[in-house]
Amino acid sequence: MELTFHARYTDGRRKFDGLDHYDGAQSLLGLSQILLIALNSFFNKEILVQAPSAKGFRLVLGKSKEGSWDQAVHLLITNPNVLAVAEDIGKAGLYDLLKWSLLSGIGVPYLVANRKAKKIIRELEQKNEDLHEKLDEALKRVHYPVKHQGLTIHVMAGRQNLATFNEATLRYIETEVVHEAQRYEPFGVSRLNARTGTGRFIPNMDAASVPFTPVDALSKAAKQALGDSLAYLTRDRFVPVNALISEVTSADGHLKSYRLHSVVPI
């Protein structure tokens, strides 16, 4: 299997007049990190842990076409076991997984449709490490040309657009508003770190997950309730808990995470 992705830099807040070398290099580094970490988690079921001051001139990467700049990124699989996994997932499944990885980190809801992709996501969310947390810094790097040059970036797979990074997605990753209002909501638990008490909530079986962080140390009963909900979900049963939460949003009002104040079984 061989796949080609494209990072396309075009007009955004400002008209495209070349891609700054430093910002472009950082952006492509960020994209490379996202693809490597995400694809490794899909193929190997393992989530990896891991300014210029010149004035008066700039270095600009060359254009591939008038009015934009395009960089191809080829995925070449060399291990037969990994190839077998990739072919089993299929292109449609991989594209769904990559969209989920990219869009969840920038506040764009995406409903995963592919059955195999859903299964892999469920398995990944049961890991101690949170994939999206590992992609945060890389997503900030990808946005360098958006932040410093006012450009828009399209991540493509063939003719399919996997994600678009622009001023709105930059505001999402750079701003955080903590709301004081609290309310009870029923949520299923799709991921839980027993040590830290952090995890992810889902309102139903097919919904995108939202991260949560406890405000204070959770009681033993609260951890038990969260753990029981997660255990049921691994057996394809949606058994929610009643969670007292407050919201953390971007400056635009897009939900980023929940602060968890208490939790009781329903």
Side-chain angles (χ1 to χ4, degrees):
M1 175 185 286
E2 182 176 338
L3 298 177
T4 299
F5 305 101
H6 287 266
R8 187 167 299 154
Y9 299 80
T10 64
D11 293 350
R13 183 181 76 254
R14 299 175 187 163
K15 187 174 178 60
F16 180 89
D17 67 346
L19 181 61
D20 181 86
H21 190 179
Y22 180 81
D23 291 339
Q26 288 294 314
S27 183
L28 291 172
L29 171 62
L31 179 59
S32 175
Q33 290 173 320
I34 290 170
L35 290 175
L36 286 170
I37 293 172
L39 289 169
N40 183 78
S41 71
F42 307 151
F43 296 152
N44 298 314
K45 308 297 188 291
E46 178 189 11
I47 298 174
L48 299 174
V49 180
Q50 300 281 26
S53 56
K55 298 182 185 299
F57 68 91
R58 64 183 181 133
L59 300 174
V60 179
L61 297 174
K63 301 175 183 178
S64 63
K65 61 179 70 173
E66 190 67 28
S68 68
W69 192 87
D70 186 293
Q71 176 64 58
V73 180
H74 300 287
L75 169 65
L76 302 176
I77 299 176
T78 58
N79 183 290
N81 294 326
V82 171
L83 179 60
V85 173
E87 289 179 339
D88 181 63
I89 297 171
K91 283 188 178 181
L94 282 175
Y95 290 169
D96 245 12
L97 287 166
L98 286 170
K99 281 188 176 182
W100 167 76
S101 302
L102 292 162
L103 297 178
S104 297
I106 56 174
V108 178
Y110 179 68
L111 185 62
V112 175
N114 184 273
R115 179 179 56 81
K116 291 181 179 178
K118 286 182 180 180
K119 183 175 183 292
I120 290 172
I121 290 170
R122 186 69 49 79
E123 293 171 349
L124 287 174
E125 289 190 333
Q126 294 167 25
K127 302 283 187 183
N128 281 333
E129 301 292 342
D130 189 327
L131 174 62
H132 288 106
E133 288 180 3
K134 301 304 177 187
L135 301 180
D136 282 348
E137 286 303 314
L139 278 170
K140 291 176 183 176
R141 285 195 183 94
V142 171
H143 279 79
Y144 270 44
V146 178
K147 183 174 184 177
H148 299 133
Q149 289 188 263
L151 301 182
T152 295
I153 307 166
H154 305 279
V155 181
M156 311 290 295
R159 294 183 178 180
Q160 187 169 162
N161 185 54
L162 299 180
T164 295
F165 303 129
N166 53 30
E167 295 291 320
T169 60
L170 177 65
R171 283 193 296 272
Y172 178 87
I173 64 176
E174 285 199 330
T175 62
E176 192 168 278
V177 179
V178 178
H179 299 269
E180 296 301 322
Q182 300 178 18
R183 68 179 188 274
Y184 277 101
E185 286 259 3
F187 289 116
V189 179
S190 64
R191 179 185 172 275
L192 178 65
N193 186 314
R195 181 177 56 83
T196 63
T198 59
R200 286 182 172 267
F201 282 142
I202 53 172
N204 59 67
M205 289 288 283
D206 295 320
S209 64
V210 177
F212 67 81
T213 302
V215 175
D216 298 306
L218 295 173
S219 67
K220 185 176 180 180
K223 286 187 177 180
Q224 181 68 50
L226 293 169
D228 288 346
S229 178
L230 175 61
Y232 278 116
L233 197 68
T234 61
R235 300 194 294 272
D236 292 322
R237 285 188 60 192
F238 183 77
V239 178
V241 295
N242 208 19
L244 180 61
I245 52 93
S246 54
E247 293 185 348
V248 178
T249 69
S250 66
D252 292 344
H254 289 94
L255 179 65
K256 297 186 74 170
S257 65
Y258 291 120
R259 300 173 77 221
L260 179 61
H261 299 271
S262 67
V263 58
V264 293
I266 292 180

